[in-house]
Amino acid sequence: MIGKEILHYRILEKLGEGGMGVVYLAEDTRLERKVAIKFLPPHIAGNVGERQRFEIEAKAAASLNHPNIATIHAIEEADDDVFIVMEYIDGQELKDLVETYHDTSLPIDDTKKYAIQIAEGLQAAHEKGIVHRDIKSSNIMITEKGQAKIMDFGLAKVHGSPVLPSAGLILGTIAYMSPEQLRGEDVDQSSDIWAFGVVLYEILTGQLPFKGDYEQAVMYSILNEEPPAMTAFRDGIPAELVHLVQKTLEKKPDHRYRNMAALLRDLKQLPTKIIAFPKSEKSIVVLPFENISPDSENEYFSDGLTEEIIADLSQIEALSVISRTSAMRLKGTQKDIRTIGSELKVQHVLEGSVRKSGNDLRITAQLINAKTDRHLWAKKYSGTLNDVFEIQEKVARSIVNALKIKLAPEEHKKLAKHPIPDARAYDYYFRARQEILKATAESLKNAINLIQASIDIAGENILLFAARGYIHWMYFNAGIESDERHLSKAGSLAEKILALEPESVHGYRLLGLVEIHRGNIKGIQHLEKALQSDPNDPDTLGWLIVIYSMQGKVSEAHALAKKLITIDPLTPVNYLHTAWPFQVEGKFHEALKATKIAYKSESNNSAFQFNYFHSLVLAKKYDQAFVLLNKPENNAPTDFFLQLAYFLKFAITKKKEKALQFVTETFKNTAKNDPDYSSILAEGFALLNQKSEALYWLENAINRGFINYPYFLKYNPLLENLRLDAQFKQLMTNVKVKWEKVMGAA
């Protein structure tokens, strides 16, 4: 065929071949331009009915004039050959473009750009009553200038065209076909919307949503199975984009977007910003500095110094630093350097000692290669308490130099900054932090006195106001004094901080925590601002994982969870946080793995015990869940978490009176302030078939921000008794509006 001239077209080379024909590059000798020629397969060219259908639909496709649709120039016939003459596009198939990224993925902004162009082309076709019926990544070309062009309308269906012999046959490419197309039903634009969703899934993940070893297996998957979560293949896809793809891949056509215009509107509103953390090539853990002071009470100072060096290093973008909470769990460890490095997946370890005697100070520090156990750098620093800031900065800069890290100008400023300029005030601050960590009524009272003493010396100070505010928040959050006044005081201190420094990470973090407890959605925005300034703060990461999960932003939650476990792998509570996104997407066995890690670390912690119990229940492992409660010390529990567990246990076993004995006014008041606890009460009352109570608590959870509509509607097995109830259906209709607003959907 190469070199042959047909009519006024000279065949130059073969471009490709598919079920609907062979495509060649040719030269139009009359108009002196390159064109693509597609020869129809014999079963179409030689069949009168098929050919008639094709000509009707090809003529309609030829009438399309859109920058994102490859132009059809002519339909020609020579001897027994029938062929289409099309615009020749110098570029590459979208499928090939995706494959060039190998282990990475097409950037989100490029994905959005191409998706909008493809959608605009399809919208133009649909407005003329043309359904493509074979949208796939190999039928979309990307020009050298980055313009998407939809190719091959050879299977197009025109609205109102006569039903010809091929009607009812399965036409198209199996992996991209909609369920109704597979069933051989008459298709409309909904099938193109489905195929568009398959293409989006593919270019975002590098995978097809429905796969199998043979065509029947793929067909079964399309008709009966849900595609794997895109987050299993890629972190950080915006939740709005995840939701958009999910909506295009609904099995029932009327559950998808109603038309391309609606889909296109959502595409254009999509944020391209994703939660993505810079990849740090170098990593370190700072082991707790050993206190070798004559006075053992100076332990607080060595711990405080350790934490401040960690805080300094965490501000360096090119360095991944294990967080304070994980590092402090290694205090007194007998593990060798290589074991620590291997378990924490870090390249370097900093260890040192502190000797504080009166006002005199001596600090030693040494940087070690965790893989070879070789010392890279070691130094001793002597001075007085007033020199502590300079010593901290010198240690941090020495590490930077030893690891050959180039600091940005802003990072230089951060390392040089002394948050509390007075050494005595700094000393009180260190003491107060130790008291805060104990989280008892007495320790928090001591912490307030120490912070106040520090404020009396240093005056108005952001770090001290933040510590004072955090203490008040801890009173409320830990249930020590559930008094609204503590939240008000914490909120006032946050406002003071932001008045002193409008972009303070401490102010935004504190204000975020306060507003979240008040049920104010703005709290999320404050925490997000805090995370932008300090992406290595475990507390902010943990809170946002839970909040995003409750909202339905599961991909964002997974991205934060991955970051959290990377920088803070030894803190058990973090595994409770990472269980959340798995739980709300119905992956209860994955959630169970995470809660089990937390429980095994601290099995006497009632909160950890309850979370593990709840994960077992959601996974329908009731016997294992009930065994957790069979401990002598759990009899007649007064602890809220154990009461909650027993309430659920007796609800599951239909022992109504035993379940309700735990629902005291105090119990209800505690649950009422928390969306998670409220949703769990809804589960219990649903199991007891007390629908009005269940709906009351479910609505309270929703009003407090737990608006993950799919979790309540589909995934949570404990709410099954409610799903046919008219009030539940109405509540779900209402919450869906809130959920879609947050997710950025129509």
Side-chain angles (χ1 to χ4, degrees), residues 258-544:
R258 62 187 180 276
N259 51 46
M260 287 305 299
L263 191 156
L264 189 56
R265 183 181 65 247
D266 282 359
L267 263 177
K268 289 181 176 179
Q269 291 175 353
L270 278 176
T272 52
K273 174 190 168 188
I274 62 171
I275 294 177
F277 299 98
K279 288 186 178 180
S280 305
E281 295 181 2
K282 295 169 183 175
S283 53
I284 191 171
V285 59
V286 180
L287 298 182
F289 277 41
E290 183 184 359
N291 175 38
I292 56 173
S293 308
D295 187 350
S296 61
E297 287 189 5
N298 282 326
E299 191 85 11
Y300 76 89
F301 189 85
S302 58
D303 287 350
L305 187 68
T306 304
E307 294 174 13
E308 288 305 304
I309 290 173
I310 291 171
D312 282 348
L313 294 176
S314 294
Q315 298 179 93
I316 301 169
E317 189 175 285
L319 186 62
S320 177
V321 184
I322 295 297
S323 76
R324 170 188 61 81
T325 43
S326 275
M328 295 310 291
R329 292 181 74 86
L330 292 169
K331 191 170 184 177
T333 183
Q334 299 303 308
K335 294 179 179 179
D336 60 63
I337 295 296
R338 289 180 178 176
T339 301
I340 291 170
S342 175
E343 290 181 353
L344 296 181
K345 296 180 175 62
V346 294
Q347 300 161 332
H348 304 95
V349 175
L350 182 73
E351 63 178 8
S353 62
V354 179
R355 179 182 176 85
K356 179 175 177 287
S357 180
N359 200 42
D360 293 329
L361 200 59
R362 190 175 72 210
I363 295 170
T364 64
Q366 48 195 1
L367 184 66
I368 307 165
N369 182 308
K371 190 174 183 179
T372 64
D373 205 5
R374 184 172 64 87
H375 285 60
L376 303 177
W377 158 84
K379 194 154 187 178
K380 293 181 180 179
Y381 303 90
S382 297
T384 67
L385 194 59
N386 292 324
D387 301 317
V388 67
F389 307 114
E390 284 75 17
I391 293 173
Q392 276 178 206
E393 184 182 343
K394 285 177 181 177
V395 170
R397 290 189 184 278
S398 295
I399 292 168
V400 167
N401 292 335
L403 298 182
K404 298 178 181 178
I405 295 172
K406 186 176 181 180
L407 296 180
E410 191 60 32
E411 290 172 331
H412 277 292
K413 289 180 184 177
K414 286 179 179 178
L415 287 184
K417 192 174 182 180
H418 300 158
I420 301 174
D422 187 283
R424 289 176 304 149
Y426 204 41
D427 189 56
Y428 283 132
Y429 170 70
F430 277 173
R431 293 175 189 266
R433 289 224 309 215
Q434 290 299 103
E435 294 295 323
I436 292 171
L437 291 172
K438 297 174 187 175
T440 66
E442 183 180 359
S443 70
L444 293 182
K445 184 178 179 181
N446 291 339
I448 282 182
N449 292 334
L450 287 165
I451 290 296
Q452 189 56 52
S454 187
I455 291 171
D456 290 342
I457 296 169
E460 290 191 337
N461 181 277
I462 287 170
L463 199 59
L464 297 178
F465 283 163
R468 178 75 183 253
Y470 190 73
I471 295 166
H472 287 296
W473 178 81
M474 278 286 290
Y475 267 114
F476 189 90
N477 185 60
I480 296 168
E481 290 181 15
S482 297
D483 190 329
E484 179 66 30
R485 286 179 298 176
H486 280 297
L487 277 187
S488 295
K489 288 178 180 177
S492 296
L493 285 160
E495 297 290 356
K496 274 189 176 182
I497 293 168
L498 291 170
L500 290 171
E501 188 179 305
E503 296 301 315
S504 169
V505 62
H506 300 290
Y508 280 126
R509 185 181 298 133
L510 182 57
L511 192 58
L513 293 175
V514 170
E515 294 301 334
I516 289 298
H517 271 288
R518 288 174 172 165
N520 188 342
I521 199 77
K522 286 185 178 179
I524 301 165
Q525 297 168 8
H526 297 318
L527 289 177
E528 288 172 335
K529 285 184 178 180
L531 190 67
Q532 287 172 12
S533 299
D534 185 3
N536 293 309
D537 180 66
D539 292 335
T540 308
L541 286 165
W543 276 101
L544 281 174

Side-chain angles (χ1 to χ4, degrees), residues 53 100 121 125 164 251 312 433 569 592 657 685:
R53 176 195 64 79
T100 62
L164 294 164
K251 304 289 187 193
D312 282 348
R433 289 224 309 215
L592 184 55
E657 288 186 12
F685 282 115

Side-chain angles (χ1 to χ4, degrees), residues 550 580 610 614 640 644 647-648 667-686 693-706 712 716 719 722:
M550 286 185 176
W580 263 94
F610 172 76
H614 191 227
F640 172 76
L644 198 55
F647 168 68
L648 264 188
F667 181 85
K668 288 192 288 187
N669 286 336
T670 302
K672 195 175 291 185
N673 290 324
D674 189 280
D676 182 28
Y677 305 156
S678 294
S679 74
I680 292 165
L681 257 66
E683 293 170 356
F685 282 115
E693 278 291 305
L695 290 167
Y696 167 80
W697 286 103
L698 187 56
E699 187 169 11
N700 187 64
I702 290 166
N703 289 339
R704 287 196 155 286
F706 200 158
F712 295 137
N716 190 322
L719 299 177
L722 298 179

Side-chain angles (χ1 to χ4, degrees), residues 1 6 11 20-22 24 37-41 81-84:
M1 183 67 79
I6 302 175
I11 308 300
M20 291 303 293
V22 184
Y24 293 93
I37 290 181
K38 182 169 189 175
F39 287 87
L40 301 187
D81 290 322
V82 178
F83 56 93
I84 311 168

Side-chain angles (χ1 to χ4, degrees), residues 97-115:
L97 178 62
V98 172
E99 289 176 356
T100 62
Y101 280 83
H102 300 295
D103 296 331
T104 58
S105 302
L106 194 66
I108 296 292
D109 54 351
D110 286 349
T111 299
K112 179 181 175 181
K113 179 180 73 173
Y114 296 142

